[in-house]
């Protein structure tokens, strides 16, 4: 914050695991500048975040991420949601409930994302044998994001029809020809 004492507009971007904490960073940045009497416009473009939290992951691995302190520091009721398969949605709802309506929070993803699907499976998200894992993953993601978009006018989703992961930023620019 020392290098940006009085910004008028901040844009946060991230891809994959770098996109996942952006709502928390948004909240921290807004609160920092509000405490100093500054109203800063903050926008987010979250590209292909790791979003779903399957029960197996919550029960067996989530505590090792050591994020409880950060979540409680922003006022999020971590203890209530730490075992909720809708944890990511609860965090996003919490942040959006306290956000400025003029701040835009956007999420970009593909409807066929092998990287996100791999993490979903690795975290134990393949427990529904009635549908394919791909269908289950996409249905859970799309339903969650659509519900959030319907509840918050400053949240939007942009779905790219096809296969891919992290389509914005410098990902493609940094690829070798």
């Amino acid at each position: 914050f020392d290098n940006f004492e009085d910004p008028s507009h901040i844009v946060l971007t991230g891809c994959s695991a770098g996109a996942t904490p952006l709502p928390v960073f948004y909240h921290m940045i807004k609160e920092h500048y509000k405490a100093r009497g500054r109203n800063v416009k903050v926008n987010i473009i979250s590209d292909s975040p790791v979003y779903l939290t399957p029960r197996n992951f919550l029960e067996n691995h989530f505590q090792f991420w050591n994020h409880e302190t950060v979540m409680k520091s922003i006022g999020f009721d971590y203890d209530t949601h730490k075992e909720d398969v809708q944890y990511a949605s609860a965090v996003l709802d919490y942040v959006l409930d306290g956000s400025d309506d003029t701040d835009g929070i956007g999420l970009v993803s593909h409807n066929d994302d092998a990287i996100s699907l791999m993490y979903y499976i690795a975290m134990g998200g393949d427990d529904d044998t009635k549908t394919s894992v791909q269908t289950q993953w996409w249905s859970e993601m799309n339903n969650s994001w659509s519900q959030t978009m319907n509840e918050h006018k400053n949240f939007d989703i942009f779905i790219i029809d096809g296969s891919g992961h992290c389509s914005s930023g410098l990902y493609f620019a940094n690829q070798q020809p």
Side-chain angles (χ1 to χ4, degrees):
F1 295 115
D2 291 340
N3 294 326
F4 302 99
E5 292 180 19
D6 194 19
S8 60
H9 191 180
I10 297 171
V11 177
L12 303 173
T13 65
C15 167
S16 197
T20 303
L22 289 179
V24 174
F25 295 156
Y26 167 90
H27 182 84
M28 295 170 90
I29 289 168
K30 289 298 280 194
E31 291 302 312
H32 171 82
Y33 287 108
K34 279 182 188 175
R36 284 148 185 80
R38 295 179 177 92
N39 186 19
V40 178
K41 183 172 180 60
V42 180
N43 296 110
I44 295 176
I45 301 172
S46 183
D47 188 349
S48 305
V50 178
Y51 190 78
L52 298 175
T53 47
R55 178 143 324 278
N56 175 61
F57 176 74
L58 291 169
E59 292 173 356
N60 299 303
H61 307 287
F62 201 39
Q63 70 273 13
F64 301 119
W65 282 29
N66 297 321
H67 61 285
E68 179 179 359
T69 302
V70 170
M71 299 311 292
K72 287 183 174 182
S73 78
I74 68 166
F76 180 72
D77 189 354
Y78 175 80
D79 293 326
T80 296
H81 298 286
K82 67 183 177 185
E83 294 180 7
D84 182 359
V85 294
Q86 294 298 321
Y87 179 85
S89 293
V91 171
L92 191 53
D93 280 338
Y94 173 77
V95 170
L96 287 165
D97 285 344
S99 68
D100 291 341
D101 289 341
T102 59
D103 290 342
I105 298 175
L107 191 144
V108 179
S109 190
H110 291 80
N111 59 4
D112 181 9
D113 183 337
I115 304 295
S116 289
L117 183 59
M118 176 195 68
Y119 281 108
Y120 179 70
I121 292 169
M123 292 190 306
D126 58 350
D127 58 358
D128 183 354
T129 57
K130 295 177 184 172
T131 59
S132 75
V133 176
Q134 167 92 23
T135 301
Q136 179 183 341
W137 165 81
W138 176 245
S139 176
E140 289 179 23
M141 291 257 273
N142 192 41
N143 290 342
S144 180
W145 292 339
S146 295
Q147 180 178 343
T148 301
M149 189 173 70
N150 290 334
E151 294 173 3
H152 302 280
K153 69 179 187 175
N154 62 332
F155 177 75
D156 208 348
I157 55 175
F158 306 92
I159 304 300
I160 300 168
D161 189 21
S163 181
H165 185 76
C166 293
S167 295
S168 60
L170 297 175
Y171 175 77
F172 288 109
N174 287 325
Q175 299 303 304
Q176 296 296 320

